[in-house]
Amino acid sequence: ALVSARRISGEMLRITHRCGQLQERLDQQSTISRAKLVLMKRHDWGEEQAHAWLSQEAMKQRESISKVAQDVVRGSNPG
């Protein structure tokens, strides 16, 4: 019974960690989508052009796309 409880506890920790990772990924995708909308409205761009700009800017800054997207959404990177 103790072995089963430990195994279950370990599995619960792994599941909780994975859920956290998935939630973080969803949050990043949401931020990227919001940033694309900002760029699309600001520059009259299509989604592909907004995504390409985010990607290029991320490479230029050596940052993740989600970090650049956060900056766009917060207004610290006007795009």
Side-chain angles (χ1 to χ4, degrees), residues 32-68:
I32 291 167
S33 293
R34 285 196 313 271
K36 285 195 277 188
L37 285 172
V38 167
L39 293 168
M40 290 163 65
K41 288 180 183 179
R42 186 177 295 154
H43 300 289
D44 195 30
W45 289 345
E47 184 179 359
E48 287 182 21
Q49 195 171 3
H51 186 82
W53 184 89
L54 286 170
S55 180
Q56 290 167 358
E57 192 69 12
M59 285 189 284
K60 196 166 35 172
Q61 293 181 21
R62 294 190 173 147
E63 292 284 356
S64 67
I65 290 178
S66 62
K67 170 66 171 85
V68 173

Side-chain angles (χ1 to χ4, degrees), residues 3-18:
V3 172
S4 291
R6 284 184 181 159
R7 191 175 75 237
I8 291 169
S9 178
E11 187 63 25
M12 287 297 294
L13 285 173
R14 283 189 289 280
I15 290 170
T16 301
H17 178 71
R18 183 66 178 142

